Amino acid sequence: MKYLLPTLALLALGQPLLVQGQVPAAASSATSQGQLVGTVLHATTKQPVEFATVALLTQTSGAVVASSVCDTGGKFSFPKVAAGEYKLSISFVGFETKVVEHIQVGSSSPKLETFLLVPTAQQLGEVKVTGERELVENKADRLVYNAEKDQSNTGGTAADLLKKVPMLSLDPDGNPELRGSTSVRVLINGKPSGMLANNIADALRRLPADQVKSVEVITSPSAKYDAEGSGGIINIILKKNAASGTTGSFTATAGNMNNSLNTSLNSRRGKLAVTSELGLAAYYNRYRSVISRTDVLAPSEFAELNQRTFTRNYNQGITGRLNLDYDLTEKDVLTLGANTELFRYRGTRTVTSTYLAPSLLDEAYSRDVEWPYADNRFPSVDVNAGYTHTGKQPRQELSVLGLLSTSVGRQAYFLNQTRGEGIDYRETNVNTSRNRELTLQVDYAQPTDSTGLLEVGSKAILRTAGSDYVIAADSLNGRGLVQVPSRSNQFDYSQDVYAGYLSYGFSVRKVYSFKAGTRVEHTRVTGDFVSSEANVRQQYTNIVPNLLFSRDFGADKAQKLKISYTRRIQRPSIWLLNPYLNVNNGRSASSGNPNLRAELTDAYELGYSTSHKSSTLNLSGYWRQTNNAIQNVSTTLPARAIFPDDTTNTSVLYNTFQNVARRSTYGLSVTGSTKPNPKWTLNATVNAFYLTVKSPLLSVGNQGLMYNGNLTSAWTFEHGYSLQASMYVNSRRILLQGDASGFQTHTLSVKKELFEKKGSLTLNLENPFSRTILFRTDLAVPDSYSLRSDTYAYNRAIRLSFNYQFGATSSDPARPRKSIRNDDQKKGEGGN
């Protein structure tokens, strides 16, 4: 904890500012004093707006003179104010900020009229009518995709949803990519989640899209964010009730690829807000593949491998979520939350293989592999707590947050190999994994004037993980199943990250905005193999600066230009470090690498955005440079290196991860939306970039142009009908040792609103014109091997969803809450 002391000391110095009096008024030289009093009411209901912030500013410079928070009756007062000219700023989350100019204060101040705040969302009876919000919004440091406005998401999964988010794509394994980089951190409500610890691709397929409110894509994180995620941060925001009253929803989906049932119940009464959710989900997928590989055994001596596989996966899960928000006082808020998931899966795979080499007659064999429900399960639990104290000045805040995330997993398969007339080999595998993550975080924000904000904070992330894997084999020699020591081990791993940051932002003339900060992170890594003397010991400190400048210009400040720079870190997660050796294919093997080091990336970005009437346009040019990139590397090894008892002259393709490459990405992304008429909406995004990846160590490199994009068209008809069509295109992917083919998907959805807009029925068709999608990978290393893998994924899907919302609410919004953002580990299958 010694790494936290400097930052905590800085926080301690800042504490007196939180409890001191206010900034002196510009008119403090005046001898007379006056009094300002008023009431803030809801513009529609005429009810008091509790806890609204009222700031008294000087008329000329805008400096904060004093601030107050409305009581439960919506009243505020400034009992002693020096004579002069001022202006009032009244704000509260969920309402438009109201500014009252040229308020004269003298010895006898006139009585102020009641102030009405206009809400940004209104409720009419039991039907919630939300103010028009764009499907895609562009903000200073992030892009927001409002998933709840996209009707084609109904009944789908988060994996389906992410394909429609600008700048995002999924690789063939289902791992998210941001501008072509898999070095991203995925968060749920700004926090890490145990459900993402084992396999992020499967976790996204299990998360129902109906639970997702929006997705934030953060490409220029400030110093307040963790330094991890060289490609950026993907923050999935789940739906949450923000209005007073009791509401709920029920959604049922039936289809040929996935089925789900989700319910929610939310209540806000006075100081307490409760959000609860329960969901059941099941999804099914299948694919077949054809693999052809040529191995170079010696000069002019080759071997040929031909394999065919057919795989089916069945996944089932139950999820639950409970969050409590309680206003201790008008300045103090306590939050408690818990998320849990119990997931299991069953899979079957059939592999037929033929390997032909000189002086070797390898009779064709087949392998049947089964992963049973009872032996493949992954429960996880997240518990979080937070406390926030709001100071006397606007934006002055102290927050303390904690998070405990745990997950365990058990994977097992049973393999039978048939050669000739009967079974000649059996194998079993049991891999037990565990993950625990404890996070403690302190943040403090202190305004310096009406636009300036100083932020400091500290954070500790303490991670422990482990994997205990046992392989047992039976060669039908009468000994039965016997453990294979060379393929069995226990790996224990811990990673502790201690961080502190300082950030300052301000605006000039309401046109120019600046933000600069520095984050310092110290990392300690230990890893031990219980059944051997091998271990991992790493310790390093990184200084991570960032800069952001923006300028608003044009009519009504509708145009924005921004420039940013940041350095990012990508620490490998247990998914990439786990040395468990997977060889159920028989002719290929894969494992993680416990000796991986963190990769460092420098990211530069130039962006422009504009809007005119109902149209918006966002342009962004970027450059990312990584000098020790983590890459997926494939090499051929003698079969005896994997199977010690093997006496044949055959080869096995071994896949792992290494810090072996320099990676440069130069790109341009374009996002736009328009409404040709009030009933028709068009949204489009295109991201194109040139990737160069080189490995001096391996004497190999690759480069080329890549792109992805999507187009969505939505039309609203009379009588509650609406139609939406979308298409997604992803080009070929450049790999260090080859490339992977591109693909495209298309979706059509029809929606009918029911029961006075409280219910709806949605029919979705995915890829109705193509039964399968081809994913082709070509890899080659001169004088070693060449490989082509064709995978045909069955992706034609149809689903029907029914949704019903109930309950009555008022539009008194909840107070803003703080959350932990652990955006600091590389996941997925490596790559670009």
Side-chain angles (χ1 to χ4, degrees):
M1 299 298 289
K2 62 182 179 180
Y3 303 101
L4 298 177
L5 292 179
T7 305
L8 291 174
L10 183 58
L11 290 175
L13 292 175
Q15 270 297 298
L17 297 174
L18 190 64
V19 296
Q20 277 183 341
Q22 309 302 322
V23 178
S28 58
S29 57
T31 56
S32 60
Q33 291 184 330
Q35 182 180 14
L36 292 179
V37 294
T39 303
V40 179
L41 301 180
H42 190 294
T44 304
T45 65
K46 300 303 185 290
Q47 295 297 312
V49 179
E50 302 178 19
F51 309 130
T53 300
V54 183
L56 184 65
L57 315 172
T58 60
Q59 181 63 45
T60 54
S61 66
V64 178
V65 175
S67 65
S68 178
V69 176
C70 294
D71 60 19
T72 54
K75 296 180 180 179
F76 70 89
S77 66
F78 298 104
K80 295 181 180 180
V81 180
E85 187 178 47
Y86 300 88
K87 58 183 176 181
L88 277 179
S89 175
I90 307 173
S91 61
F92 191 58
V93 63
F95 291 87
E96 298 177 2
T97 299
K98 186 180 187 67
V99 178
V100 184
E101 305 275 355
H102 305 293
I103 296 178
Q104 299 294 332
V105 176
S107 56
S108 57
S109 300
K111 181 179 180 180
L112 296 180
E113 298 292 335
T114 298
F115 298 99
L116 301 179
L117 286 189
V118 178
T120 55
Q122 297 182 0
Q123 284 74 28
L124 303 177
E126 292 188 352
V127 182
K128 183 176 182 179
V129 181
T130 304
E132 185 67 20
R133 178 182 294 178
E134 298 294 336
L135 180 65
V136 178
E137 296 179 283
N138 186 49
K139 300 185 178 181
D141 65 341
R142 72 194 64 194
L143 182 144
V144 181
Y145 168 75
N146 293 303
E148 61 184 348
K149 288 185 62 63
D150 191 337
Q151 72 178 45
S152 66
N153 292 327
T154 305
T157 67
D160 302 323
L161 182 153
L162 289 185
K163 297 176 185 177
K164 307 168 191 175
V165 179
M167 297 185 289
L168 297 188
S169 60
L170 298 181
D171 70 10
D173 296 308
N175 299 291
E177 298 179 327
L178 201 171
R179 290 173 172 170
S181 172
T182 56
S183 301
V184 297
R185 179 59 162 162
V186 181
L187 307 176
I188 304 293
N189 287 338
K191 302 183 289 292
S193 176
M195 66 177 287
L196 305 176
N198 291 294
N199 188 316
I200 192 171
D202 283 339
L204 293 174
R205 296 187 189 104
R206 297 193 302 270
L207 178 63
D210 298 302
Q211 297 183 10
V212 179
K213 177 183 179 182
S214 61
V215 178
E216 297 178 342
V217 181
I218 306 173
T219 58
S220 304
S222 69
K224 189 173 183 178
Y225 290 89
D226 292 336
E228 286 262 351
S230 58
I233 299 169
I234 302 172
N235 186 25
I236 300 174
I237 306 296
L238 302 182
K239 294 177 181 178
K240 184 177 180 181
N241 181 48
S244 296
T246 299
T247 61
S249 67
F250 170 84
T251 303
T253 298
N256 65 324
M257 300 287 285
N258 65 291
N259 300 274
S260 63
L261 180 65
N262 296 285
T263 61
S264 68
L265 183 63
N266 310 302
S267 176
R268 182 171 178 81
R269 289 286 185 269
K271 297 182 178 183
L272 178 64
V274 180
T275 300
S276 62
E277 220 167 59
L278 182 65
L280 300 171
Y283 73 90
Y284 158 74
N285 70 308
R286 60 190 176 117
Y287 58 90
R288 58 185 173 89
S289 62
V290 179
I291 299 174
S292 300
R293 191 179 85 222
T294 300
D295 296 337
V296 180
L297 304 179
S300 301
E301 186 175 335
F302 305 94
E304 296 288 338
L305 170 71
N306 290 283
Q307 281 189 339
R308 293 179 178 271
T309 67
F310 187 80
T311 305
R312 296 175 184 266
N313 290 316
Y314 308 83
N315 300 265
Q316 297 177 347
I318 179 171
T319 60
R321 184 162 62 103
L322 178 65
N323 289 282
L324 306 175
D325 296 331
Y326 185 74
D327 298 328
L328 298 172
T329 69
E330 64 181 25
K331 295 181 180 295
D332 300 278
V333 180
L334 179 66
T335 62
L336 297 172
N339 302 330
T340 185
E341 179 187 57
L342 177 59
F343 160 69
R344 66 176 187 168
Y345 80 89
R346 175 180 178 267
T348 61
R349 176 177 297 163
T350 299
V351 181
T352 60
S353 178
T354 301
Y355 191 83
L356 300 177
S359 303
L360 174 67
L361 178 59
D362 185 10
E363 191 176 355
Y365 67 83
S366 66
R367 287 188 164 193
D368 294 311
V369 188
E370 181 182 6
W371 293 263
Y373 272 135
D375 295 292
N376 291 271
R377 53 189 184 274
F378 305 90
S380 65
V381 177
D382 303 332
V383 179
N384 63 83
Y387 165 76
T388 301
H389 175 77
T390 303
K392 295 182 178 179
Q393 295 179 251
R395 300 179 297 158
Q396 189 180 35
E397 190 174 76
L398 172 68
S399 64
V400 181
L401 304 167
L403 168 69
L404 176 62
S405 178
T406 63
S407 66
V408 295
R410 176 183 169 86
Q411 294 175 284
Y413 68 75
F414 301 90
L415 180 153
N416 290 325
Q417 177 175 289
T418 302
R419 192 189 305 265
E421 296 298 325
I423 296 175
D424 70 339
Y425 177 78
R426 290 190 175 96
E427 180 179 292
T428 64
N429 158 266
V430 177
N431 181 12
T432 304
S433 61
R434 55 204 173 275
N435 293 273
R436 190 189 69 181
E437 185 172 296
L438 175 64
T439 304
L440 301 173
Q441 178 176 326
V442 180
D443 298 288
Y444 175 69
Q446 171 65 47
T448 57
D449 53 34
S450 61
T451 67
L453 184 67
L454 177 68
E455 296 176 288
V456 295
S458 60
K459 188 174 187 178
I461 308 174
L462 310 177
R463 296 187 176 98
T464 59
S467 176
D468 186 357
Y469 49 98
V470 177
I471 303 290
D474 181 4
S475 299
L476 302 183
N477 54 10
R479 300 174 58 192
L481 288 168
V482 179
Q483 181 175 333
V484 182
S486 62
R487 296 171 57 195
S488 305
N489 210 330
Q490 180 176 334
F491 176 59
D492 293 321
Y493 170 83
S494 68
Q495 180 192 86
D496 298 337
V497 181
Y498 304 95
Y501 72 89
L502 175 66
S503 179
Y504 181 68
F506 64 96
S507 299
V508 177
R509 294 162 46 187
K510 299 182 179 180
V511 173
Y512 300 95
S513 296
F514 302 86
K515 193 164 191 177
T518 299
R519 187 179 185 93
V520 179
E521 294 193 347
H522 179 81
T523 306
R524 292 188 296 185
V525 176
T526 61
D528 295 287
F529 294 89
V530 174
S531 56
S532 68
E533 296 182 357
N535 60 65
V536 179
R537 297 291 185 271
Q538 295 181 12
Q539 189 170 181
Y540 49 89
T541 301
N542 299 102
I543 299 177
V544 183
N546 68 83
L547 297 168
L548 176 64
F549 164 76
S550 66
R551 179 177 184 261
D552 297 330
F553 60 97
D556 300 323
K557 305 293 189 300
Q559 302 181 67
K560 180 186 291 287
L561 182 69
K562 68 175 184 179
I563 302 174
S564 68
Y565 162 76
T566 184
R567 170 167 287 182
R568 307 295 294 165
I569 306 171
Q570 196 68 58
R571 300 181 186 90
S573 70
I574 187 63
W575 184 256
L576 302 184
L577 295 166
N578 191 343
Y580 162 67
L581 187 65
N582 183 354
V583 293
N584 63 61
N585 177 283
R587 291 300 177 189
S588 64
S590 62
S591 75
N593 180 1
N595 295 309
L596 286 176
R597 304 183 310 276
E599 62 180 30
L600 298 175
T601 298
D602 291 296
Y604 307 83
E605 184 171 349
L606 173 64
Y608 168 79
S609 63
T610 185
S611 61
H612 178 67
K613 295 183 179 179
S614 60
S615 300
T616 63
L617 177 65
N618 305 297
L619 304 174
S620 180
Y622 56 92
W623 169 34
R624 292 195 306 265
Q625 180 68 45
T626 306
N627 292 325
N628 62 334
I630 298 174
Q631 294 289 300
N632 193 333
V633 178
S634 299
T635 57
T636 53
L637 298 175
R640 60 181 175 272
I642 305 296
F643 307 102
D645 297 333
D646 192 283
T647 59
T648 62
N649 183 29
T650 60
S651 297
V652 172
L653 187 67
Y654 174 61
N655 301 279
T656 189
F657 304 94
Q658 297 181 26
N659 296 94
V660 293
R662 296 176 181 173
R663 186 177 61 229
S664 301
T665 305
Y666 312 88
L668 175 68
S669 61
V670 182
T671 301
S673 64
T674 186
K675 292 179 71 69
N677 62 56
K679 296 185 178 181
W680 185 20
T681 302
L682 284 172
N683 292 276
T685 179
V686 176
N687 177 50
F689 56 96
Y690 193 85
L691 175 67
T692 300
V693 55
K694 297 180 180 180
S695 175
L697 180 64
L698 301 179
S699 299
V700 65
N702 203 355
Q703 59 186 355
L705 179 67
M706 300 168 62
Y707 62 87
N708 58 68
N710 58 64
L711 173 65
T712 301
S713 177
W715 190 283
T716 302
F717 299 91
E718 295 180 351
H719 308 297
Y721 286 96
S722 57
L723 175 68
Q724 182 171 302
S726 62
M727 182 175 67
Y728 171 78
V729 177
N730 196 6
S731 75
R732 68 168 185 147
R733 299 173 63 244
I734 303 298
L735 309 175
L736 177 64
Q737 297 173 304
D739 58 49
S741 66
F743 63 94
Q744 66 179 34
T745 62
H746 44 281
T747 304
L748 181 67
S749 69
V750 181
K751 180 179 180 180
K752 174 65 171 76
E753 293 181 337
L754 306 169
F755 312 120
E756 298 180 345
K757 296 186 178 183
K758 290 184 289 185
S760 65
L761 194 64
T762 306
L763 176 66
N764 279 283
L765 301 175
E766 293 187 5
N767 305 307
F769 308 113
S770 57
R771 187 182 181 205
T772 62
I773 297 178
L774 170 62
F775 298 96
R776 170 170 291 172
T777 301
D778 289 302
L779 301 176
V781 174
D783 301 323
S784 180
Y785 73 92
S786 62
L787 175 144
R788 167 164 287 186
S789 173
D790 289 339
T791 299
Y792 299 85
Y794 294 85
N795 275 274
R796 179 184 290 169
I798 181 173
R799 62 178 181 267
L800 182 65
S801 301
F802 172 75
N803 173 266
Y804 183 77
Q805 299 183 9
F806 58 89
T809 66
S810 65
S811 57
D812 299 329
R815 296 171 66 179
R817 314 299 180 191
K818 290 292 182 179
S819 65
I820 285 179
R821 297 178 182 268
N822 283 6
D823 27 47
D824 68 324
Q825 287 194 92
K826 179 166 186 149
K827 287 182 175 282
E829 298 299 323
N832 307 310

